[in-house]
Amino acid sequence: MQQPSPTPRKATGRPPRISREEVVETARRIVAEEGVGKLTMRRLAGEIGSTPMALYHHVRNKEELLVLLLDDYAARALRPVELPADPRERVLAAATAIHDALAACPWIVEVLAADDLFSTHALWYVERIVDGLVDCGLSPERAAQGYRAIWYYTTGEIVVRATAAERRAGDDRPTYREQVFAALDPAEYPRLAQVAGRWEPVTAQDAYGDGLRALVTGLLAAG
Amino acid sequence: MQQPSPTPRKATGRPPRISREEVVETARRIVAEEGVGKLTMRRLAGEIGSTPMALYHHVRNKEELLVLLLDDYAARALRPVELPADPRERVLAAATAIHDALAACPWIVEVLAADDLFSTHALWYVERIVDGLVDCGLSPERAAQGYRAIWYYTTGEIVVRATAAERRAGDDRPTYREQVFAALDPAEYPRLAQVAGRWEPVTAQDAYGDGLRALVTGLLAAG
DNA sequence: GTGAGTTTTTGTACATGTAAGGAAACTACT
DNA sequence: AGTAGTTTCCTTACATGTACAAAAACTCAC
């Protein structure tokens, strides 16, 4: 992979005019300034002063570019901070930190459906979560499983909310949910009819923390 | 919207040659036979004997078509069944039924990031879940919130797993996770280093049920 | 210098979703 | 019959990601 020589490597071939870093940095700027919708390979290449296909020697495809952007974002947004001493509270705080950082970055959804370890820069928080769970008495296995459950819950919350929001935008028709509740047969679905009016506010309110607490409670109870 | 006339409506305009039902049904067949990757608007139009743009008079865009396909799938896969009498077990069984149906349908991921009520045909199960939670002593609000938490967890599990699987396919490079664990500094991340070897099997094994049980336990404890 | 080998860049080309505008096929009213 | 109105369909065109192949720019061995 890498030569052991002091000077990195590369003794041969046409010298690159652009670098992966430049690609990612420029992409980051475009996204920051105009949104992820404006990020196209052509636009990016133009901005760098290159051609679209040249980019493909530095990133494997657009998806990888987005993953790199997410990683870059995590590096900035997930700096280690002071966390509570109590292990359970530590788990909650670390998970919430990851959640809030990702939720603040809506364009990320397209990439977020990533595996559980989405960035080395989030590792610090992952460590806190697993450590907290172990300190609460879980075995290492159970702690790892617990982290995964938390990750599913977290990423699900973000993806669902963001996609729903996007679908609502630029679409003045009533929501699918509104249609469902409007045409709900109370005889067939008494419970849903009962909560129909309260569904909207329940959805709108930020209940991530409540669900997270419940999940952690349950994980600890099982361990 | 609809005339109150006995004959549905439509007294004017060019008579349609294709119907929304035909579009969806043909799309379903293509997906079933050759996978969602082969479903293109041109291909679909050709199969129907029409033109791509004609389809857009029956579905608003490809995404809506996929949502309709998901709905169609839910109608088949989520038939009501006998569920346990015990309310807690009922919640678990209903959630697992939804989960398993969706997990068996990998192409769905692109659409799944939907809002909580993704199909009327899943309503029956949603009703069972909310009802079970209420029977366990939760208030209607809390039950609705609880359902949402379950939905986040479920959809997150599916989306994450499916996307990870897709990324792994056609890519022989080591996983990001493998790279992370390979380069892990045990001094900095002792817990992660401790579980590193066990992470892979933990990930592979199907722990949806365990996490779900924990979540429900926690939800009930909070209520 | 010359040629081989290697890496990066470029040019061309294609598949895809879909916007825009006009043509086609029908009904209703005169 | 003729005209207006309405709905559906078709043609054309564009933006986008990216495959493929050839050109360009460099190093090294001779």
Side-chain angles (χ1 to χ4, degrees):
Chain A
M1 287 242 133
Q2 197 108 342
Q3 249 110 348
S5 62
T7 43
R9 92 261 87 178
K10 159 116 79 31
T12 171
R14 175 174 177 166
R17 299 168 82 111
I18 61 180
S19 68
R20 181 168 167 134
E21 287 69 38
E22 188 181 0
V23 170
V24 173
E25 171 54 28
T26 309
R28 197 188 64 76
R29 186 170 50 71
I30 294 178
V31 170
E33 289 174 359
E34 309 185 37
V36 75
K38 293 292 185 183
L39 180 67
T40 72
M41 298 305 268
R42 283 172 230 266
R43 164 78 189 275
L44 180 54
E47 206 103 340
I48 295 183
S50 182
T51 61
M53 290 313 291
L55 304 177
Y56 285 82
H57 268 252
H58 303 272
V59 298
R60 121 176 333 218
N61 50 32
K62 193 179 179 183
E63 162 145 358
E64 182 177 274
L65 174 60
L66 290 174
V67 171
L68 291 173
L69 282 179
L70 172 56
D71 188 64
D72 179 81
Y73 174 75
R76 298 163 200 274
L78 286 178
R79 291 270 165 65
V81 298
E82 185 95 16
L83 290 183
D86 177 63
R88 182 170 188 275
E89 290 305 316
R90 203 185 326 149
V91 171
L92 296 175
T96 305
I98 294 181
H99 169 266
D100 291 352
L102 296 178
C105 205
W107 61 266
I108 259 168
V109 172
E110 317 182 23
V111 212
L112 225 204
D115 209 349
D116 46 7
L117 303 179
F118 62 100
S119 166
T120 48
H121 300 103
L123 272 188
W124 189 85
Y125 284 90
V126 178
E127 169 79 14
R128 295 322 111 170
I129 291 176
V130 174
D131 181 64
L133 292 173
V134 172
D135 278 4
C136 286
L138 294 197
S139 72
E141 266 97 356
R142 278 228 175 278
Q145 274 184 294
Y147 167 69
R148 275 190 77 84
I150 292 174
W151 173 246
Y152 292 149
Y153 171 70
T154 303
T155 196
E157 203 261 6
I158 292 169
V159 169
V160 167
R161 284 190 106 92
T163 328
E166 192 156 342
R167 279 202 197 145
R168 237 174 298 121
D171 191 348
D172 39 1
R173 296 177 312 174
T175 316
Y176 192 76
R177 190 195 316 141
E178 287 165 3
Q179 294 176 38
V180 165
F181 279 130
L184 202 65
D185 178 3
E188 202 172 353
Y189 302 117
R191 291 299 187 200
L192 292 179
Q194 189 178 10
V195 299
R198 275 166 280 192
W199 200 274
E200 203 62 49
V202 160
T203 298
Q205 96 190 63
D206 179 18
Y208 171 78
D210 292 341
L212 175 66
R213 239 183 307 277
L215 178 54
V216 171
T217 299
L219 289 172
L220 297 183
Chain B
M1 287 243 127
Q2 196 108 342
Q3 249 109 350
S5 62
T7 43
R9 92 264 83 177
K10 158 116 81 31
T12 170
R14 175 174 177 167
R17 300 166 83 112
I18 62 180
S19 68
R20 182 172 169 130
E21 287 69 36
E22 188 181 1
V23 171
V24 174
E25 171 55 28
T26 309
R28 197 187 63 77
R29 186 170 50 70
I30 294 178
V31 170
E33 289 174 1
E34 309 185 39
V36 74
K38 293 291 184 185
L39 180 66
T40 71
M41 299 304 268
R42 283 170 229 266
R43 165 80 187 276
L44 180 53
E47 206 103 339
I48 295 183
S50 183
T51 61
M53 290 311 291
L55 304 177
Y56 285 82
H57 269 253
H58 303 270
V59 297
R60 125 176 329 220
N61 51 32
K62 194 178 179 183
E63 160 144 358
E64 182 177 272
L65 174 61
L66 290 173
V67 170
L68 290 171
L69 282 179
L70 172 56
D71 188 64
D72 180 82
Y73 174 75
R76 299 164 200 273
L78 285 178
R79 291 269 166 65
V81 297
E82 185 95 16
L83 291 184
D86 176 64
R88 182 170 188 275
E89 290 305 316
R90 204 184 326 148
V91 171
L92 297 174
T96 305
I98 294 181
H99 170 266
D100 291 351
L102 296 178
C105 205
W107 62 266
I108 259 168
V109 172
E110 318 183 23
V111 210
L112 224 205
D115 210 349
D116 46 8
L117 302 178
F118 63 99
S119 166
T120 49
H121 301 103
L123 271 189
W124 189 87
Y125 284 89
V126 178
E127 169 79 13
R128 297 320 112 172
I129 292 176
V130 174
D131 181 65
L133 292 174
V134 171
D135 278 3
C136 285
L138 294 197
S139 72
E141 264 97 356
R142 278 226 174 279
Q145 274 184 293
Y147 168 70
R148 274 189 78 85
I150 292 175
W151 173 246
Y152 292 149
Y153 172 70
T154 303
T155 196
E157 203 262 5
I158 292 170
V159 169
V160 167
R161 284 190 108 91
T163 330
E166 192 157 340
R167 282 204 195 145
R168 235 174 297 121
D171 191 347
D172 40 1
R173 296 177 313 174
T175 316
Y176 191 76
R177 190 195 316 141
E178 286 164 4
Q179 294 178 37
V180 165
F181 279 130
L184 202 64
D185 178 4
E188 202 172 354
Y189 303 116
R191 291 299 187 203
L192 291 178
Q194 189 179 9
V195 300
R198 277 166 279 191
W199 200 275
E200 203 63 48
V202 161
T203 298
Q205 97 191 61
D206 179 17
Y208 171 78
D210 292 340
L212 176 65
R213 237 183 309 278
L215 178 54
V216 171
T217 299
L219 290 172
L220 297 183

